[in-house]
Amino acid sequence: MSELGFSTRAVHAGFEPDPQTGAVNVPIYASSTFAQDGVGGLRGGYEYARTGNPTRTALEANLAALELGRYGRAFASGMAATDCVLRALLRPGDHIVIPDDAYGGTFRLIDKVFTQWGIEHSPAHIADLDAVRAAVRPDTKLIWVETPTNPLLTIGDIAALADVAHTAGALLVVDNTFATPYLQTPLTLGADVVLHSTTKYLGGHSDVIGGALVTDDAEIDQKFAFLQNGAGAVPGPFDAYLTLRGAKTLALRMERHCDNAELIAEFLARHPAISTVIYPGLPEHAGHGVAAKQMRRFGGMLSVRLHGGEEAARRFCAGTKVFTLAESLGGIESLIEHPGAMTHASTAGSQLEVPADLVRISVGIEDAADLLADVEQALAQ
Ligand SMILES: *Cc1c(COP(=O)(O)O)cnc(C)c1O
């Protein structure tokens, strides 16, 4: 399917109309177990739904097709997928390089849990290849990046980071949650594993939690499959169905997210209450050139810093009416939040601590005029 266009894959990959009924959508297979014809005689390859469920299989094939990878695995959450990568690919005594700006939950899991199991980590600024090289040690097994990062939208050069990782005998994992496979496909740039919180753009409607891993490497995929079944952090069939339903319209939604985010970034860049707009689509963004090279467009996420410090940032978040003050991102509705007190509170006091005057915005697909009017009135309060 990889020769087909993105939306054709999004709509069709993973499921053919059901031969028995003609159903165009994969059924929600609400079955924990599957009848066998004689001991070990599996009818469709399924035995127990932790190991595999046809609705989940359809989602996994679809996500792999979108990321242009061979193997996809779906998980109960993005964090469950993160946990699987770390346990599948690291052993006590190993070292991992992480972004100095990363999703708070990823940092918390590595810092609070994996540290206890003998995994050491070093934060590095992923836009600075020399800094990443300097953070690499002989025992480094993984370089973990997000690009754009959450919440500071730093851009890492995926092809160059893959080179750094492979030269060091390490693997490159890219958390592609912010960009989505519509905007960039890290495996085609040399990454070894792509991770998603499908809770965000892939699901796209803020109605389901999920995660996914995609790789081209059969051996790595087998390690993921072993833990997916062995530890069991799998999505149920209804969650898999919802995520697949969302993935089918990803291209349409992303175009609108990008259109709206560009307009809001330009508007805020001229607004006197804003000291900095952080959006990779703006030419003044330090990663603009790399983003233009490796991304189709610049995404629906932007962050701003306010002249009035933390108080002004909190007031802005509380003052919007169309934007909902809430954690998460990537859904059709616009969201606004204060990372320092909300999504990234776990980074307080660490090298990953976020500025107190920072506001993160997930731009939805509403009418641009309403979104612009809303940020304008909220900043006037
Ligand atoms: C939300 C998020 C995660 C975690 O995913 P969950 O589905 O919430 O478990 C990981 N990485 C990034 C970049 C995220 O935004």
Side-chain angles (χ1 to χ4, degrees), residues 196-253:
H196 279 285
S197 167
T198 57
T199 311
K200 315 294 168 54
Y201 288 105
L202 278 161
H205 296 72
S206 305
D207 54 6
V208 59
I209 298 279
L213 299 174
V214 182
T215 181
D216 261 340
D217 186 311
E219 219 174 294
I220 292 175
D221 177 64
Q222 278 311 303
K223 291 180 182 174
F224 294 163
F226 181 84
L227 275 175
Q228 185 192 38
N229 177 51
V234 293
F238 186 60
D239 288 359
Y241 176 82
L242 280 178
T243 305
L244 178 56
R245 188 186 210 266
K248 292 179 189 196
T249 57
L250 181 65
L252 291 171
R253 288 184 286 107

Side-chain angles (χ1 to χ4, degrees), residues 77-79 103 106 146 150 175 177-178 197 199-200 209-210 329:
S77 68
M79 290 319 304
Y103 176 64
T106 305
E146 296 170 15
N150 180 0
D175 180 339
T177 299
F178 267 41
S197 167
T199 311
K200 315 294 168 54
I209 298 279
L329 61 108

Side-chain angles (χ1 to χ4, degrees), residues 10-316:
V11 172
H12 294 286
F15 188 71
E16 297 277 329
D18 183 55
Q20 237 177 345
T21 64
V24 295
N25 286 307
V26 65
I28 299 165
Y29 282 91
S31 195
S32 60
T33 190
F34 298 84
Q36 306 192 8
D37 294 324
V39 176
L42 308 185
R43 293 182 192 175
Y46 296 97
E47 52 191 4
Y48 185 60
R50 168 158 41 73
T51 322
N53 172 293
T55 317
R56 190 175 99 206
T57 303
L59 170 65
E60 291 175 334
N62 186 272
L63 296 178
L66 295 188
E67 281 292 354
L68 298 172
R70 283 160 62 199
Y71 310 100
R73 299 280 165 193
F75 292 83
S77 68
M79 290 319 304
T82 301
D83 179 66
C84 178
V85 174
L86 298 171
R87 282 193 287 149
L89 303 180
L90 298 172
R91 292 294 170 266
D94 288 346
H95 174 253
I96 171 173
V97 176
I98 61 169
D100 63 357
D101 156 37
Y103 176 64
T106 305
F107 173 68
R108 183 177 57 196
L109 183 67
I110 292 169
D111 185 51
K112 295 280 188 288
V113 179
F114 281 85
T115 301
Q116 293 187 53
W117 296 92
I119 309 288
E120 294 187 12
H121 62 274
S122 307
H125 191 58
I126 57 134
D128 179 350
L129 291 171
D130 289 331
V132 175
R133 273 189 212 99
V136 168
R137 312 192 316 208
D139 53 354
T140 302
K141 293 290 169 15
L142 288 185
I143 296 181
W144 185 286
V145 300
E146 296 170 15
T147 177
T149 59
N150 180 0
L152 293 173
L153 302 160
T154 302
I155 302 292
D157 183 330
I158 296 171
L161 287 161
D163 269 351
V164 173
H166 298 153
T167 303
L171 298 174
L172 179 69
V173 179
V174 177
D175 180 339
N176 206 26
T177 299
F178 267 41
T180 82
Y182 180 65
L183 298 182
Q184 87 191 356
T185 47
L187 296 179
T188 65
L189 299 169
D192 300 285
V193 176
V194 169
L195 179 139
H196 279 285
S197 167
T198 57
T199 311
K200 315 294 168 54
Y201 288 105
L202 278 161
H205 296 72
S206 305
D207 54 6
V208 59
I209 298 279
L213 299 174
V214 182
T215 181
D216 261 340
D217 186 311
E219 219 174 294
I220 292 175
D221 177 64
Q222 278 311 303
K223 291 180 182 174
F224 294 163
F226 181 84
L227 275 175
Q228 185 192 38
N229 177 51
V234 293
F238 186 60
D239 288 359
Y241 176 82
L242 280 178
T243 305
L244 178 56
R245 188 186 210 266
K248 292 179 189 196
T249 57
L250 181 65
L252 291 171
R253 288 184 286 107
M254 287 314 292
E255 287 291 344
R256 179 68 162 246
H257 284 297
C258 293
D259 287 344
N260 284 350
E262 282 169 18
L263 290 171
I264 292 173
E266 283 160 18
F267 173 78
L268 292 174
R270 293 190 305 267
H271 198 287
I274 303 293
S275 62
T276 320
V277 177
I278 310 172
Y279 183 64
L282 295 175
E284 57 267 31
H285 187 286
H288 178 69
V290 174
K293 184 181 73 171
Q294 70 190 14
M295 297 173 76
R296 188 195 296 254
R297 293 185 70 183
F298 302 100
M301 296 300 299
L302 62 100
S303 291
V304 293
R305 298 183 69 172
L306 284 86
H307 282 301
E310 176 165 1
E311 204 198 308
R314 286 176 177 256
R315 210 179 322 123
F316 182 29

